[in-house]
Amino acid sequence: MSKSKQVLVTGGAGYIGSHTVVSLVNANYKPIILDDFSNSNPQVIEGIQDILQESITYYRGDCRDWDLVSSIFNEHQFDGVIHFAASKAVGESVEQPLRYYGNNLDSLMVMLRAVEQFKVPNLVFSSSCTVYGQPDHLPVTEETERKPAASPYGNTKKISEDIIFDVVGSAANLKAVSLRYFNPIGAHPSAKIGELPLGTPNNLIPFVTQTAAGIRDVLTVFGDDYNTPDGTCIRDYIHVMDLSDAHVRSLTYLEEQSESSYYEVFNLGTGKGTSVMEVIKSFQEVAGVPLNYRVGPRRSGDIEQIFASVKKAEKALNWKALKTMKQALADTWKWQQAISKIP
Ligand code: NAD
Ligand code: WQD
């Protein structure tokens, strides 16, 4: 058997990173994790190892630490880097912009310096549909204009995309993609890894499952007076396992590009919009438990509706989201029950 290609996965103990590590191993890559556990914990590595029944190499540390990063790049000959590590709470970024610009931009810069210096050919970057703001036309394609960012977090994604574009456009021998995720949900079907929000969740699905599990009293639906069929906001929710597979496809795709410098952007979603009320209904059906919810006021900064055109990723990456909303909700519920130890 040919030797597995080594891939550095920054933020590999996080929500999307941990699932991607599983997908990478299943595709015969050798992922090496670098994570400072600022928004995750070492038990996640155990969960990954439990699923894979093999040990995973990981480094505990900050990807802004050049001495550590260069020692890791000296130790391993990487074929690629998947750069997940970032701070991701939109509200927190408004309160602590320097922390967000500092972590998200400095960690990217260190990675770019490392891939250049150590001649690593491929980079996959975690971007976000947040770069589109409220689009004028739906679905959004990769050509849809990016709007001025509504938060420092969103701005870090926009600036990061621009930095990568410039670096690839310079003399660097680097092939890169920015993947614009829509709303990742779900968990590994084994319920050994999943999303671990610290404190009160900001995102809809963890709030739904925590409410159903009795950890939260009531889910507030943020507004039902939007210009949508049932008045609640619409998003494109994608199962994290589908998203993880797209990262593997992206790496393979980059390896296949014959140019030495290359940059592309892909939307990663399902192409289907689902309203908050539809999520609640599906969850109740899947989990078989009633959900305590009430309709409250709109949340400031929310956009009315967004969903992706995924034609570009489907064609170029030969990838498609395969799992349904119900599968994603069932997997999240199973995960919630595992972590809250509900019989
Ligand atoms: P996460 O917080 O679960 O994972 C990020 C991981 O990176 C964590 O394990 C954290 O400990 C680690 N980390 C953060 N800063 C670090 C640093 N300086 N050095 C080393 N490790 C560091 O987040 P996630 O949901 O898995 O998101 C992964 C990426 O995808 C992020 O870049 C995020 O902005 C992006 N993204 C997420 C979503 C979403 O809804 N989850 C949507 C769009 C884009
Ligand atoms: C989804 C819908 C809420 C909680 C965020 C970031 C975005 C990206 C993905 C990283 C909205 C409604 C939510 C609740 C509710 N992340 N809702 N009650 O806002 O689409 O995007 O995560 O890049 O940048 O902003 O996701 O899960 O917070 O909300 O009614 O308690 O659920 O109003 O319509 P969002 P979300």
Side-chain angles (χ1 to χ4, degrees), residues 83-113:
H83 181 50
F84 290 107
S87 305
K88 65 162 180 178
V90 175
E92 194 178 62
S93 80
V94 177
E95 286 151 25
Q96 303 174 37
L98 270 180
R99 193 180 133 209
Y100 272 69
Y101 285 113
N103 193 24
N104 296 6
L105 298 182
D106 289 350
S107 57
L108 174 67
M109 305 286 258
V110 169
M111 281 308 131
L112 285 168
R113 196 173 141 202

Side-chain angles (χ1 to χ4, degrees), residues 90 128 130 153 183 202-204 220-222 233 235 299 302:
V90 175
S128 168
T130 193
Y153 167 76
N183 289 53
N202 298 309
N203 295 119
L204 177 64
T220 303
V221 174
F222 296 141
C233 293
R235 299 286 184 273
R299 177 172 71 178
D302 262 342

Side-chain angles (χ1 to χ4, degrees), residues 20-86:
T20 301
V21 166
V22 171
S23 297
L24 284 166
V25 172
N26 288 335
N28 199 33
Y29 283 94
K30 182 171 167 34
I32 313 288
I33 294 174
L34 170 59
D35 202 302
D36 63 0
F37 301 119
S38 55
N39 199 37
S40 55
N41 64 61
Q43 275 111 50
V44 175
I45 311 278
E46 288 168 29
I48 297 172
Q49 295 181 150
D50 208 4
I51 292 169
L52 294 168
Q53 289 298 302
E54 65 177 71
S55 70
I56 295 292
T57 306
Y58 77 95
Y59 295 88
R60 180 182 199 137
D62 193 320
C63 19
R64 292 169 292 179
D65 178 347
W66 174 255
D67 290 343
L68 171 67
V69 168
S70 53
S71 74
I72 296 171
F73 277 74
N74 266 317
E75 185 84 13
H76 303 272
Q77 207 190 336
F78 293 121
D79 172 65
V81 172
I82 306 184
H83 181 50
F84 290 107

Side-chain angles (χ1 to χ4, degrees), residues 47 75 77 119 186 209 232 280:
E75 185 84 13
Q77 207 190 336
K119 301 190 174 16
T209 57
T232 63
I280 293 173

